[in-house]
Amino acid sequence: MQLKNILLAAIIFFTAGSSQVKAQQNDSDNHRLLMGITVGTDIGGAVPFPFSHIPSPFNPYPQIKASFGGIFSYKLTDSWGIGAELMYKNVGMKADARVENQKFNMDGTDVYFTGTAKMDMSFTFLEVPLYAKYYFKNQNDRIIAGFYYSYTFTISFQTTPQKGFIGYEPDKGEIEDVSDVIMNFNEM
């Protein structure tokens, strides 16, 4: 409940400053203080790294989800500035894949699945990047570097086998009927 109140207060704070606010102006008409809200979409989901861990074939179906938040930026000098963002995001993806020896836990026992599977994953989280900006002389180009924090509200990663076999060791198929099995990776 406390987290919902913090999120609501942050939304109200950023909404109050939603039109870009000019606190100071220098001679070249650059904004010193900017605050605003952002509303947009995110497309996609998580991808394994290294990329060699992506099974072949792999058919991803990214989902388009809404995101919103607020931005704060303050220009300290003509060359330096600082900024922060608070973004609420939800990303998701569905996929079909051919997997080999995918390890998961079934009824308290580690087993391995080989075959075709459907995957459904989604994450809901809060992003908080804090950064410094260096502006080049033309004031349009800049370098941004800083820190990033993310708090996850919900995580869902489920794989449902379609055809294949399950074994208690890699490459050994002891269970052939996979129709009622759901591989839930939330608990691993």
Side-chain angles (χ1 to χ4, degrees), residues 115-140:
T116 58
K118 290 190 179 284
M119 184 210 51
D120 187 5
M121 58 112 338
S122 67
F123 301 100
T124 304
F125 56 99
L126 188 67
E127 289 182 329
V128 184
L130 304 171
Y131 47 86
K133 300 182 204 178
Y134 176 78
Y135 296 88
F136 291 99
K137 291 194 186 280
N138 68 9
Q139 295 295 307
N140 292 323

PDB file of all heavy atoms in Angstrom, residues 115-140:
ATOM      1  N   GLY A 115      11.637 -30.176 -27.170  1.00  0.00           N
ATOM      2  CA  GLY A 115      10.498 -30.130 -28.075  1.00  0.00           C
ATOM      3  C   GLY A 115      10.129 -28.705 -28.427  1.00  0.00           C
ATOM      4  O   GLY A 115      10.934 -27.789 -28.306  1.00  0.00           O
ATOM      5  N   THR A 116       8.869 -28.502 -28.861  1.00  0.00           N
ATOM      6  CA  THR A 116       8.389 -27.158 -29.177  1.00  0.00           C
ATOM      7  C   THR A 116       7.577 -26.638 -27.994  1.00  0.00           C
ATOM      8  O   THR A 116       6.899 -27.402 -27.310  1.00  0.00           O
ATOM      9  CB  THR A 116       7.526 -27.147 -30.451  1.00  0.00           C
ATOM     10  OG1 THR A 116       6.430 -28.035 -30.266  1.00  0.00           O
ATOM     11  CG2 THR A 116       8.341 -27.556 -31.659  1.00  0.00           C
ATOM     12  N   ALA A 117       7.664 -25.338 -27.767  1.00  0.00           N
ATOM     13  CA  ALA A 117       6.996 -24.744 -26.610  1.00  0.00           C
ATOM     14  C   ALA A 117       6.533 -23.335 -26.937  1.00  0.00           C
ATOM     15  O   ALA A 117       7.075 -22.669 -27.813  1.00  0.00           O
ATOM     16  CB  ALA A 117       7.949 -24.711 -25.427  1.00  0.00           C
ATOM     17  N   LYS A 118       5.512 -22.903 -26.214  1.00  0.00           N
ATOM     18  CA  LYS A 118       5.044 -21.520 -26.264  1.00  0.00           C
ATOM     19  C   LYS A 118       5.529 -20.832 -24.994  1.00  0.00           C
ATOM     20  O   LYS A 118       5.498 -21.415 -23.917  1.00  0.00           O
ATOM     21  CB  LYS A 118       3.530 -21.450 -26.344  1.00  0.00           C
ATOM     22  CG  LYS A 118       2.979 -21.914 -27.664  1.00  0.00           C
ATOM     23  CD  LYS A 118       1.493 -21.586 -27.738  1.00  0.00           C
ATOM     24  CE  LYS A 118       0.913 -22.025 -29.053  1.00  0.00           C
ATOM     25  NZ  LYS A 118       1.258 -21.143 -30.144  1.00  0.00           N
ATOM     26  N   MET A 119       6.001 -19.596 -25.140  1.00  0.00           N
ATOM     27  CA  MET A 119       6.500 -18.836 -24.015  1.00  0.00           C
ATOM     28  C   MET A 119       5.662 -17.568 -23.848  1.00  0.00           C
ATOM     29  O   MET A 119       5.262 -16.956 -24.834  1.00  0.00           O
ATOM     30  CB  MET A 119       7.965 -18.450 -24.246  1.00  0.00           C
ATOM     31  CG  MET A 119       8.551 -17.747 -23.052  1.00  0.00           C
ATOM     32  SD  MET A 119       9.855 -16.553 -23.378  1.00  0.00           S
ATOM     33  CE  MET A 119       9.228 -15.493 -24.614  1.00  0.00           C
ATOM     34  N   ASP A 120       5.415 -17.203 -22.602  1.00  0.00           N
ATOM     35  CA  ASP A 120       4.691 -15.972 -22.286  1.00  0.00           C
ATOM     36  C   ASP A 120       5.422 -15.305 -21.127  1.00  0.00           C
ATOM     37  O   ASP A 120       5.553 -15.900 -20.057  1.00  0.00           O
ATOM     38  CB  ASP A 120       3.255 -16.300 -21.906  1.00  0.00           C
ATOM     39  CG  ASP A 120       2.389 -15.075 -21.726  1.00  0.00           C
ATOM     40  OD1 ASP A 120       2.864 -13.951 -21.978  1.00  0.00           O
ATOM     41  OD2 ASP A 120       1.220 -15.241 -21.336  1.00  0.00           O
ATOM     42  N   MET A 121       5.934 -14.099 -21.334  1.00  0.00           N
ATOM     43  CA  MET A 121       6.634 -13.390 -20.271  1.00  0.00           C
ATOM     44  C   MET A 121       6.181 -11.939 -20.207  1.00  0.00           C
ATOM     45  O   MET A 121       5.809 -11.360 -21.227  1.00  0.00           O
ATOM     46  CB  MET A 121       8.154 -13.463 -20.432  1.00  0.00           C
ATOM     47  CG  MET A 121       8.690 -12.936 -21.718  1.00  0.00           C
ATOM     48  SD  MET A 121       9.669 -11.463 -21.848  1.00  0.00           S
ATOM     49  CE  MET A 121       9.515 -10.371 -20.616  1.00  0.00           C
ATOM     50  N   SER A 122       6.183 -11.399 -18.988  1.00  0.00           N
ATOM     51  CA  SER A 122       5.888  -9.977 -18.813  1.00  0.00           C
ATOM     52  C   SER A 122       6.537  -9.483 -17.522  1.00  0.00           C
ATOM     53  O   SER A 122       6.694 -10.243 -16.564  1.00  0.00           O
ATOM     54  CB  SER A 122       4.383  -9.710 -18.801  1.00  0.00           C
ATOM     55  OG  SER A 122       3.798 -10.279 -17.668  1.00  0.00           O
ATOM     56  N   PHE A 123       6.915  -8.222 -17.532  1.00  0.00           N
ATOM     57  CA  PHE A 123       7.523  -7.562 -16.384  1.00  0.00           C
ATOM     58  C   PHE A 123       6.838  -6.213 -16.205  1.00  0.00           C
ATOM     59  O   PHE A 123       6.630  -5.493 -17.169  1.00  0.00           O
ATOM     60  CB  PHE A 123       9.016  -7.288 -16.607  1.00  0.00           C
ATOM     61  CG  PHE A 123       9.842  -8.513 -16.874  1.00  0.00           C
ATOM     62  CD1 PHE A 123      10.195  -8.853 -18.164  1.00  0.00           C
ATOM     63  CD2 PHE A 123      10.257  -9.310 -15.831  1.00  0.00           C
ATOM     64  CE1 PHE A 123      10.969  -9.968 -18.414  1.00  0.00           C
ATOM     65  CE2 PHE A 123      11.022 -10.435 -16.073  1.00  0.00           C
ATOM     66  CZ  PHE A 123      11.379 -10.767 -17.364  1.00  0.00           C
ATOM     67  N   THR A 124       6.533  -5.859 -14.965  1.00  0.00           N
ATOM     68  CA  THR A 124       6.046  -4.526 -14.630  1.00  0.00           C
ATOM     69  C   THR A 124       7.047  -3.947 -13.638  1.00  0.00           C
ATOM     70  O   THR A 124       7.331  -4.582 -12.617  1.00  0.00           O
ATOM     71  CB  THR A 124       4.646  -4.588 -14.004  1.00  0.00           C
ATOM     72  OG1 THR A 124       3.774  -5.262 -14.895  1.00  0.00           O
ATOM     73  CG2 THR A 124       4.108  -3.201 -13.739  1.00  0.00           C
ATOM     74  N   PHE A 125       7.593  -2.780 -13.945  1.00  0.00           N
ATOM     75  CA  PHE A 125       8.650  -2.254 -13.097  1.00  0.00           C
ATOM     76  C   PHE A 125       8.707  -0.735 -13.139  1.00  0.00           C
ATOM     77  O   PHE A 125       8.079  -0.088 -13.975  1.00  0.00           O
ATOM     78  CB  PHE A 125      10.005  -2.857 -13.481  1.00  0.00           C
ATOM     79  CG  PHE A 125      10.388  -2.662 -14.928  1.00  0.00           C
ATOM     80  CD1 PHE A 125      11.246  -1.647 -15.290  1.00  0.00           C
ATOM     81  CD2 PHE A 125       9.909  -3.499 -15.911  1.00  0.00           C
ATOM     82  CE1 PHE A 125      11.608  -1.466 -16.621  1.00  0.00           C
ATOM     83  CE2 PHE A 125      10.266  -3.340 -17.233  1.00  0.00           C
ATOM     84  CZ  PHE A 125      11.117  -2.317 -17.589  1.00  0.00           C
ATOM     85  N   LEU A 126       9.482  -0.185 -12.204  1.00  0.00           N
ATOM     86  CA  LEU A 126       9.720   1.248 -12.096  1.00  0.00           C
ATOM     87  C   LEU A 126      11.200   1.490 -12.381  1.00  0.00           C
ATOM     88  O   LEU A 126      12.060   0.855 -11.775  1.00  0.00           O
ATOM     89  CB  LEU A 126       9.371   1.715 -10.682  1.00  0.00           C
ATOM     90  CG  LEU A 126       9.368   3.206 -10.412  1.00  0.00           C
ATOM     91  CD1 LEU A 126       8.237   3.883 -11.185  1.00  0.00           C
ATOM     92  CD2 LEU A 126       9.191   3.462  -8.929  1.00  0.00           C
ATOM     93  N   GLU A 127      11.507   2.375 -13.320  1.00  0.00           N
ATOM     94  CA  GLU A 127      12.886   2.723 -13.660  1.00  0.00           C
ATOM     95  C   GLU A 127      13.219   4.094 -13.102  1.00  0.00           C
ATOM     96  O   GLU A 127      12.397   5.012 -13.176  1.00  0.00           O
ATOM     97  CB  GLU A 127      13.075   2.816 -15.171  1.00  0.00           C
ATOM     98  CG  GLU A 127      13.038   1.531 -15.901  1.00  0.00           C
ATOM     99  CD  GLU A 127      13.279   1.735 -17.389  1.00  0.00           C
ATOM    100  OE1 GLU A 127      12.914   2.791 -17.936  1.00  0.00           O
ATOM    101  OE2 GLU A 127      13.831   0.828 -17.988  1.00  0.00           O
ATOM    102  N   VAL A 128      14.422   4.227 -12.555  1.00  0.00           N
ATOM    103  CA  VAL A 128      14.877   5.511 -12.032  1.00  0.00           C
ATOM    104  C   VAL A 128      16.316   5.751 -12.506  1.00  0.00           C
ATOM    105  O   VAL A 128      17.263   5.357 -11.840  1.00  0.00           O
ATOM    106  CB  VAL A 128      14.822   5.554 -10.486  1.00  0.00           C
ATOM    107  CG1 VAL A 128      15.210   6.937  -9.973  1.00  0.00           C
ATOM    108  CG2 VAL A 128      13.456   5.150  -9.976  1.00  0.00           C
ATOM    109  N   PRO A 129      16.493   6.360 -13.685  1.00  0.00           N
ATOM    110  CA  PRO A 129      17.847   6.743 -14.097  1.00  0.00           C
ATOM    111  C   PRO A 129      18.221   8.121 -13.541  1.00  0.00           C
ATOM    112  O   PRO A 129      17.404   9.042 -13.527  1.00  0.00           O
ATOM    113  CB  PRO A 129      17.765   6.766 -15.624  1.00  0.00           C
ATOM    114  CG  PRO A 129      16.325   6.909 -15.951  1.00  0.00           C
ATOM    115  CD  PRO A 129      15.531   6.450 -14.765  1.00  0.00           C
ATOM    116  N   LEU A 130      19.461   8.248 -13.072  1.00  0.00           N
ATOM    117  CA  LEU A 130      20.032   9.518 -12.615  1.00  0.00           C
ATOM    118  C   LEU A 130      21.289   9.738 -13.449  1.00  0.00           C
ATOM    119  O   LEU A 130      22.116   8.831 -13.565  1.00  0.00           O
ATOM    120  CB  LEU A 130      20.407   9.441 -11.132  1.00  0.00           C
ATOM    121  CG  LEU A 130      19.288   9.043 -10.175  1.00  0.00           C
ATOM    122  CD1 LEU A 130      19.855   8.788  -8.785  1.00  0.00           C
ATOM    123  CD2 LEU A 130      18.217  10.113 -10.137  1.00  0.00           C
ATOM    124  N   TYR A 131      21.454  10.931 -14.020  1.00  0.00           N
ATOM    125  CA  TYR A 131      22.550  11.100 -14.965  1.00  0.00           C
ATOM    126  C   TYR A 131      23.075  12.530 -15.007  1.00  0.00           C
ATOM    127  O   TYR A 131      22.423  13.469 -14.564  1.00  0.00           O
ATOM    128  CB  TYR A 131      22.124  10.671 -16.374  1.00  0.00           C
ATOM    129  CG  TYR A 131      20.789  11.209 -16.815  1.00  0.00           C
ATOM    130  CD1 TYR A 131      20.669  12.456 -17.399  1.00  0.00           C
ATOM    131  CD2 TYR A 131      19.631  10.449 -16.636  1.00  0.00           C
ATOM    132  CE1 TYR A 131      19.446  12.944 -17.797  1.00  0.00           C
ATOM    133  CE2 TYR A 131      18.396  10.932 -17.034  1.00  0.00           C
ATOM    134  CZ  TYR A 131      18.301  12.179 -17.620  1.00  0.00           C
ATOM    135  OH  TYR A 131      17.085  12.656 -18.016  1.00  0.00           O
ATOM    136  N   ALA A 132      24.284  12.626 -15.570  1.00  0.00           N
ATOM    137  CA  ALA A 132      24.912  13.920 -15.855  1.00  0.00           C
ATOM    138  C   ALA A 132      24.981  14.055 -17.373  1.00  0.00           C
ATOM    139  O   ALA A 132      25.128  13.062 -18.083  1.00  0.00           O
ATOM    140  CB  ALA A 132      26.305  13.978 -15.252  1.00  0.00           C
ATOM    141  N   LYS A 133      24.875  15.292 -17.859  1.00  0.00           N
ATOM    142  CA  LYS A 133      24.937  15.555 -19.300  1.00  0.00           C
ATOM    143  C   LYS A 133      26.068  16.529 -19.584  1.00  0.00           C
ATOM    144  O   LYS A 133      26.226  17.518 -18.875  1.00  0.00           O
ATOM    145  CB  LYS A 133      23.649  16.209 -19.802  1.00  0.00           C
ATOM    146  CG  LYS A 133      22.399  15.433 -19.620  1.00  0.00           C
ATOM    147  CD  LYS A 133      21.249  16.219 -20.232  1.00  0.00           C
ATOM    148  CE  LYS A 133      19.928  15.866 -19.642  1.00  0.00           C
ATOM    149  NZ  LYS A 133      18.854  16.662 -20.206  1.00  0.00           N
ATOM    150  N   TYR A 134      26.830  16.236 -20.635  1.00  0.00           N
ATOM    151  CA  TYR A 134      27.823  17.173 -21.126  1.00  0.00           C
ATOM    152  C   TYR A 134      27.346  17.661 -22.487  1.00  0.00           C
ATOM    153  O   TYR A 134      27.099  16.876 -23.386  1.00  0.00           O
ATOM    154  CB  TYR A 134      29.207  16.511 -21.261  1.00  0.00           C
ATOM    155  CG  TYR A 134      30.205  17.456 -21.873  1.00  0.00           C
ATOM    156  CD1 TYR A 134      30.786  18.458 -21.109  1.00  0.00           C
ATOM    157  CD2 TYR A 134      30.528  17.376 -23.223  1.00  0.00           C
ATOM    158  CE1 TYR A 134      31.684  19.350 -21.674  1.00  0.00           C
ATOM    159  CE2 TYR A 134      31.419  18.262 -23.793  1.00  0.00           C
ATOM    160  CZ  TYR A 134      31.990  19.254 -23.017  1.00  0.00           C
ATOM    161  OH  TYR A 134      32.859  20.142 -23.580  1.00  0.00           O
ATOM    162  N   TYR A 135      27.179  18.984 -22.633  1.00  0.00           N
ATOM    163  CA  TYR A 135      26.715  19.591 -23.879  1.00  0.00           C
ATOM    164  C   TYR A 135      27.909  20.069 -24.696  1.00  0.00           C
ATOM    165  O   TYR A 135      28.794  20.737 -24.172  1.00  0.00           O
ATOM    166  CB  TYR A 135      25.811  20.796 -23.601  1.00  0.00           C
ATOM    167  CG  TYR A 135      24.532  20.447 -22.901  1.00  0.00           C
ATOM    168  CD1 TYR A 135      24.474  20.401 -21.513  1.00  0.00           C
ATOM    169  CD2 TYR A 135      23.377  20.177 -23.611  1.00  0.00           C
ATOM    170  CE1 TYR A 135      23.294  20.084 -20.861  1.00  0.00           C
ATOM    171  CE2 TYR A 135      22.198  19.864 -22.966  1.00  0.00           C
ATOM    172  CZ  TYR A 135      22.163  19.822 -21.587  1.00  0.00           C
ATOM    173  OH  TYR A 135      21.000  19.509 -20.946  1.00  0.00           O
ATOM    174  N   PHE A 136      27.916  19.750 -25.985  1.00  0.00           N
ATOM    175  CA  PHE A 136      28.949  20.264 -26.872  1.00  0.00           C
ATOM    176  C   PHE A 136      28.630  21.712 -27.229  1.00  0.00           C
ATOM    177  O   PHE A 136      27.548  22.216 -26.928  1.00  0.00           O
ATOM    178  CB  PHE A 136      29.061  19.388 -28.127  1.00  0.00           C
ATOM    179  CG  PHE A 136      29.622  18.027 -27.823  1.00  0.00           C
ATOM    180  CD1 PHE A 136      28.781  16.935 -27.670  1.00  0.00           C
ATOM    181  CD2 PHE A 136      30.987  17.844 -27.681  1.00  0.00           C
ATOM    182  CE1 PHE A 136      29.297  15.686 -27.377  1.00  0.00           C
ATOM    183  CE2 PHE A 136      31.509  16.601 -27.388  1.00  0.00           C
ATOM    184  CZ  PHE A 136      30.659  15.516 -27.233  1.00  0.00           C
ATOM    185  N   LYS A 137      29.545  22.390 -27.891  1.00  0.00           N
ATOM    186  CA  LYS A 137      29.396  23.826 -28.168  1.00  0.00           C
ATOM    187  C   LYS A 137      28.136  24.170 -28.943  1.00  0.00           C
ATOM    188  O   LYS A 137      27.553  25.219 -28.743  1.00  0.00           O
ATOM    189  CB  LYS A 137      30.630  24.338 -28.909  1.00  0.00           C
ATOM    190  CG  LYS A 137      31.862  24.352 -28.034  1.00  0.00           C
ATOM    191  CD  LYS A 137      32.953  25.173 -28.672  1.00  0.00           C
ATOM    192  CE  LYS A 137      34.222  25.076 -27.878  1.00  0.00           C
ATOM    193  NZ  LYS A 137      34.260  25.925 -26.730  1.00  0.00           N
ATOM    194  N   ASN A 138      27.666  23.261 -29.831  1.00  0.00           N
ATOM    195  CA  ASN A 138      26.456  23.578 -30.598  1.00  0.00           C
ATOM    196  C   ASN A 138      25.181  23.449 -29.761  1.00  0.00           C
ATOM    197  O   ASN A 138      24.093  23.758 -30.236  1.00  0.00           O
ATOM    198  CB  ASN A 138      26.372  22.714 -31.853  1.00  0.00           C
ATOM    199  CG  ASN A 138      26.132  21.251 -31.549  1.00  0.00           C
ATOM    200  OD1 ASN A 138      25.862  20.846 -30.421  1.00  0.00           O
ATOM    201  ND2 ASN A 138      26.237  20.429 -32.580  1.00  0.00           N
ATOM    202  N   GLN A 139      25.282  22.989 -28.515  1.00  0.00           N
ATOM    203  CA  GLN A 139      24.180  22.849 -27.559  1.00  0.00           C
ATOM    204  C   GLN A 139      23.113  21.819 -27.975  1.00  0.00           C
ATOM    205  O   GLN A 139      22.125  21.637 -27.274  1.00  0.00           O
ATOM    206  CB  GLN A 139      23.508  24.206 -27.287  1.00  0.00           C
ATOM    207  CG  GLN A 139      24.406  25.206 -26.607  1.00  0.00           C
ATOM    208  CD  GLN A 139      24.818  24.776 -25.207  1.00  0.00           C
ATOM    209  OE1 GLN A 139      23.977  24.460 -24.380  1.00  0.00           O
ATOM    210  NE2 GLN A 139      26.115  24.737 -24.959  1.00  0.00           N
ATOM    211  N   ASN A 140      23.260  21.184 -29.120  1.00  0.00           N
ATOM    212  CA  ASN A 140      22.314  20.162 -29.549  1.00  0.00           C
ATOM    213  C   ASN A 140      22.835  18.755 -29.261  1.00  0.00           C
ATOM    214  O   ASN A 140      22.060  17.867 -28.954  1.00  0.00           O
ATOM    215  CB  ASN A 140      22.004  20.288 -31.040  1.00  0.00           C
ATOM    216  CG  ASN A 140      21.216  21.541 -31.341  1.00  0.00           C
ATOM    217  OD1 ASN A 140      20.367  21.944 -30.563  1.00  0.00           O
ATOM    218  ND2 ASN A 140      21.531  22.177 -32.456  1.00  0.00           N
TER     219      ASN A 140
END
